mmCIF file of all heavy atoms in Angstrom:
data_model
loop_
_atom_site.group_PDB
_atom_site.id
_atom_site.type_symbol
_atom_site.label_atom_id
_atom_site.label_comp_id
_atom_site.label_asym_id
_atom_site.label_seq_id
_atom_site.Cartn_x
_atom_site.Cartn_y
_atom_site.Cartn_z
ATOM 1 N N GLY J 1 0.826 -1.211 0.000
ATOM 2 C CA GLY J 1 0.000 0.000 0.000
ATOM 3 C C GLY J 1 0.857 1.256 0.000
ATOM 4 O O GLY J 1 2.052 1.232 -0.284
ATOM 5 N N ALA J 2 0.223 2.342 0.329
ATOM 6 C CA ALA J 2 0.921 3.619 0.375
ATOM 7 C C ALA J 2 1.783 3.700 1.640
ATOM 8 O O ALA J 2 1.461 3.126 2.668
ATOM 9 C CB ALA J 2 -0.079 4.768 0.363
ATOM 10 N N THR J 3 2.878 4.406 1.525
ATOM 11 C CA THR J 3 3.782 4.576 2.654
ATOM 12 C C THR J 3 3.243 5.641 3.601
ATOM 13 O O THR J 3 2.859 6.726 3.177
ATOM 14 C CB THR J 3 5.174 5.000 2.148
ATOM 15 O OG1 THR J 3 5.663 3.998 1.253
ATOM 16 C CG2 THR J 3 6.136 5.163 3.292
ATOM 17 N N THR J 4 3.237 5.314 4.887
ATOM 18 C CA THR J 4 2.785 6.272 5.897
ATOM 19 C C THR J 4 3.927 6.530 6.877
ATOM 20 O O THR J 4 4.921 5.794 6.919
ATOM 21 C CB THR J 4 1.571 5.738 6.669
ATOM 22 O OG1 THR J 4 1.961 4.559 7.385
ATOM 23 C CG2 THR J 4 0.422 5.416 5.736
ATOM 24 N N GLY J 5 3.771 7.564 7.675
ATOM 25 C CA GLY J 5 4.787 7.897 8.669
ATOM 26 C C GLY J 5 4.923 6.852 9.748
ATOM 27 O O GLY J 5 6.014 6.604 10.251
ATOM 28 N N GLY J 6 3.813 6.218 10.103
ATOM 29 C CA GLY J 6 3.850 5.170 11.121
ATOM 30 C C GLY J 6 4.674 3.972 10.683
ATOM 31 O O GLY J 6 5.385 3.362 11.490
ATOM 32 N N GLN J 7 4.579 3.626 9.409
ATOM 33 C CA GLN J 7 5.362 2.506 8.889
ATOM 34 C C GLN J 7 6.853 2.834 8.890
ATOM 35 O O GLN J 7 7.691 1.985 9.214
ATOM 36 C CB GLN J 7 4.910 2.165 7.470
ATOM 37 C CG GLN J 7 3.493 1.680 7.401
ATOM 38 C CD GLN J 7 2.940 1.721 5.990
ATOM 39 O OE1 GLN J 7 3.569 2.256 5.072
ATOM 40 N NE2 GLN J 7 1.761 1.156 5.810
ATOM 41 N N ILE J 8 7.164 4.072 8.543
ATOM 42 C CA ILE J 8 8.567 4.477 8.537
ATOM 43 C C ILE J 8 9.124 4.451 9.957
ATOM 44 O O ILE J 8 10.223 3.943 10.198
ATOM 45 C CB ILE J 8 8.712 5.874 7.904
ATOM 46 C CG1 ILE J 8 8.365 5.800 6.415
ATOM 47 C CG2 ILE J 8 10.123 6.425 8.106
ATOM 48 C CD1 ILE J 8 8.285 7.138 5.722
ATOM 49 N N TRP J 9 8.347 4.992 10.915
ATOM 50 C CA TRP J 9 8.812 4.988 12.295
ATOM 51 C C TRP J 9 8.930 3.578 12.849
ATOM 52 O O TRP J 9 9.832 3.299 13.646
ATOM 53 C CB TRP J 9 7.900 5.833 13.174
ATOM 54 C CG TRP J 9 8.235 7.280 13.095
ATOM 55 C CD1 TRP J 9 7.484 8.255 12.520
ATOM 56 C CD2 TRP J 9 9.420 7.911 13.568
ATOM 57 N NE1 TRP J 9 8.134 9.459 12.609
ATOM 58 C CE2 TRP J 9 9.331 9.272 13.253
ATOM 59 C CE3 TRP J 9 10.554 7.457 14.230
ATOM 60 C CZ2 TRP J 9 10.326 10.178 13.581
ATOM 61 C CZ3 TRP J 9 11.538 8.369 14.553
ATOM 62 C CH2 TRP J 9 11.417 9.700 14.236
ATOM 63 N N LEU J 10 8.050 2.691 12.457
ATOM 64 C CA LEU J 10 8.159 1.295 12.882
ATOM 65 C C LEU J 10 9.472 0.702 12.402
ATOM 66 O O LEU J 10 10.183 0.036 13.162
ATOM 67 C CB LEU J 10 6.980 0.470 12.356
ATOM 68 C CG LEU J 10 7.089 -1.035 12.624
ATOM 69 C CD1 LEU J 10 6.822 -1.330 14.083
ATOM 70 C CD2 LEU J 10 6.183 -1.808 11.719
ATOM 71 N N GLY J 11 9.805 0.931 11.155
ATOM 72 C CA GLY J 11 11.063 0.412 10.617
ATOM 73 C C GLY J 11 12.277 1.021 11.290
ATOM 74 O O GLY J 11 13.237 0.315 11.624
ATOM 75 N N VAL J 12 12.253 2.334 11.516
ATOM 76 C CA VAL J 12 13.402 3.010 12.128
ATOM 77 C C VAL J 12 13.595 2.559 13.573
ATOM 78 O O VAL J 12 14.707 2.215 13.996
ATOM 79 C CB VAL J 12 13.230 4.547 12.043
ATOM 80 C CG1 VAL J 12 14.253 5.256 12.897
ATOM 81 C CG2 VAL J 12 13.329 5.010 10.603
ATOM 82 N N VAL J 13 12.512 2.540 14.339
ATOM 83 C CA VAL J 13 12.623 2.186 15.759
ATOM 84 C C VAL J 13 12.992 0.712 15.930
ATOM 85 O O VAL J 13 13.859 0.370 16.752
ATOM 86 C CB VAL J 13 11.315 2.528 16.504
ATOM 87 C CG1 VAL J 13 11.310 1.958 17.906
ATOM 88 C CG2 VAL J 13 11.120 4.031 16.534
ATOM 89 N N SER J 14 12.367 -0.173 15.165
ATOM 90 C CA SER J 14 12.694 -1.593 15.316
ATOM 91 C C SER J 14 14.111 -1.881 14.838
ATOM 92 O O SER J 14 14.830 -2.669 15.466
ATOM 93 C CB SER J 14 11.684 -2.466 14.565
ATOM 94 O OG SER J 14 11.704 -2.180 13.190
ATOM 95 N N GLY J 15 14.553 -1.258 13.775
ATOM 96 C CA GLY J 15 15.929 -1.442 13.317
ATOM 97 C C GLY J 15 16.938 -0.888 14.300
ATOM 98 O O GLY J 15 17.969 -1.517 14.572
ATOM 99 N N ALA J 16 16.657 0.288 14.865
ATOM 100 C CA ALA J 16 17.572 0.882 15.838
ATOM 101 C C ALA J 16 17.630 0.050 17.120
ATOM 102 O O ALA J 16 18.715 -0.162 17.680
ATOM 103 C CB ALA J 16 17.143 2.306 16.151
ATOM 104 N N ALA J 17 16.491 -0.431 17.576
ATOM 105 C CA ALA J 17 16.477 -1.254 18.786
ATOM 106 C C ALA J 17 17.244 -2.550 18.577
ATOM 107 O O ALA J 17 18.034 -2.974 19.445
ATOM 108 C CB ALA J 17 15.034 -1.555 19.192
ATOM 109 N N PHE J 18 17.062 -3.181 17.429
ATOM 110 C CA PHE J 18 17.788 -4.417 17.151
ATOM 111 C C PHE J 18 19.283 -4.149 17.036
ATOM 112 O O PHE J 18 20.094 -4.940 17.532
ATOM 113 C CB PHE J 18 17.257 -5.070 15.872
ATOM 114 C CG PHE J 18 17.930 -6.377 15.562
ATOM 115 C CD1 PHE J 18 17.604 -7.511 16.279
ATOM 116 C CD2 PHE J 18 18.880 -6.473 14.568
ATOM 117 C CE1 PHE J 18 18.218 -8.716 16.006
ATOM 118 C CE2 PHE J 18 19.501 -7.668 14.286
ATOM 119 C CZ PHE J 18 19.167 -8.801 15.011
ATOM 120 N N ALA J 19 19.662 -3.057 16.397
ATOM 121 C CA ALA J 19 21.088 -2.737 16.252
ATOM 122 C C ALA J 19 21.730 -2.468 17.609
ATOM 123 O O ALA J 19 22.849 -2.916 17.872
ATOM 124 C CB ALA J 19 21.262 -1.533 15.329
ATOM 125 N N VAL J 20 21.029 -1.766 18.488
ATOM 126 C CA VAL J 20 21.569 -1.478 19.823
ATOM 127 C C VAL J 20 21.708 -2.774 20.626
ATOM 128 O O VAL J 20 22.740 -3.007 21.281
ATOM 129 C CB VAL J 20 20.674 -0.457 20.555
ATOM 130 C CG1 VAL J 20 20.998 -0.392 22.032
ATOM 131 C CG2 VAL J 20 20.825 0.912 19.915
ATOM 132 N N LEU J 21 20.697 -3.633 20.597
ATOM 133 C CA LEU J 21 20.783 -4.898 21.318
ATOM 134 C C LEU J 21 21.884 -5.795 20.766
ATOM 135 O O LEU J 21 22.613 -6.443 21.520
ATOM 136 C CB LEU J 21 19.439 -5.623 21.270
ATOM 137 C CG LEU J 21 18.313 -5.014 22.097
ATOM 138 C CD1 LEU J 21 16.999 -5.728 21.814
ATOM 139 C CD2 LEU J 21 18.659 -5.084 23.565
ATOM 140 N N CYS J 22 22.008 -5.825 19.453
ATOM 141 C CA CYS J 22 23.040 -6.639 18.821
ATOM 142 C C CYS J 22 24.436 -6.115 19.182
ATOM 143 O O CYS J 22 25.339 -6.888 19.491
ATOM 144 C CB CYS J 22 22.830 -6.642 17.313
ATOM 145 S SG CYS J 22 23.850 -7.819 16.430
ATOM 146 N N HIS J 23 24.611 -4.799 19.161
ATOM 147 C CA HIS J 23 25.907 -4.229 19.515
ATOM 148 C C HIS J 23 26.230 -4.467 20.989
ATOM 149 O O HIS J 23 27.377 -4.766 21.333
ATOM 150 C CB HIS J 23 25.933 -2.731 19.206
ATOM 151 C CG HIS J 23 27.232 -2.087 19.532
ATOM 152 N ND1 HIS J 23 28.381 -2.339 18.816
ATOM 153 C CD2 HIS J 23 27.584 -1.231 20.510
ATOM 154 C CE1 HIS J 23 29.372 -1.655 19.337
ATOM 155 N NE2 HIS J 23 28.907 -0.973 20.368
ATOM 156 N N ALA J 24 25.231 -4.355 21.853
ATOM 157 C CA ALA J 24 25.457 -4.625 23.280
ATOM 158 C C ALA J 24 25.857 -6.076 23.500
ATOM 159 O O ALA J 24 26.746 -6.365 24.315
ATOM 160 C CB ALA J 24 24.204 -4.294 24.073
ATOM 161 N N LEU J 25 25.252 -6.985 22.776
ATOM 162 C CA LEU J 25 25.601 -8.397 22.898
ATOM 163 C C LEU J 25 27.014 -8.654 22.392
ATOM 164 O O LEU J 25 27.768 -9.422 22.990
ATOM 165 C CB LEU J 25 24.591 -9.272 22.153
ATOM 166 C CG LEU J 25 24.829 -10.777 22.204
ATOM 167 C CD1 LEU J 25 24.856 -11.257 23.643
ATOM 168 C CD2 LEU J 25 23.777 -11.505 21.417
ATOM 169 N N VAL J 26 27.388 -8.006 21.309
ATOM 170 C CA VAL J 26 28.746 -8.169 20.787
ATOM 171 C C VAL J 26 29.769 -7.637 21.783
ATOM 172 O O VAL J 26 30.846 -8.196 21.946
ATOM 173 C CB VAL J 26 28.880 -7.480 19.407
ATOM 174 C CG1 VAL J 26 30.320 -7.342 18.984
ATOM 175 C CG2 VAL J 26 28.104 -8.264 18.364
ATOM 176 N N ARG J 27 29.435 -6.554 22.481
ATOM 177 C CA ARG J 27 30.377 -5.959 23.438
ATOM 178 C C ARG J 27 30.598 -6.847 24.668
ATOM 179 O O ARG J 27 31.691 -6.869 25.214
ATOM 180 C CB ARG J 27 29.865 -4.598 23.903
ATOM 181 C CG ARG J 27 29.816 -3.533 22.863
ATOM 182 C CD ARG J 27 31.176 -2.986 22.567
ATOM 183 N NE ARG J 27 31.811 -2.487 23.760
ATOM 184 C CZ ARG J 27 32.285 -1.283 23.911
ATOM 185 N NH1 ARG J 27 32.198 -0.440 22.924
ATOM 186 N NH2 ARG J 27 32.873 -0.931 25.027
#
């Protein structure tokens, strides 16, 4: 469908949270 702001924020927040958790685990 059409792109909305909520979908973009979902992608940004979930990607950032996963990256932070992954980096913390690597550390």
Side-chain angles (χ1 to χ4, degrees):
T3 301
T4 63
Q7 296 164 352
I8 293 172
W9 278 111
L10 174 74
V12 169
V13 170
S14 61
F18 182 76
V20 166
L21 289 173
C22 190
H23 181 69
L25 180 58
V26 167
R27 293 284 304 235

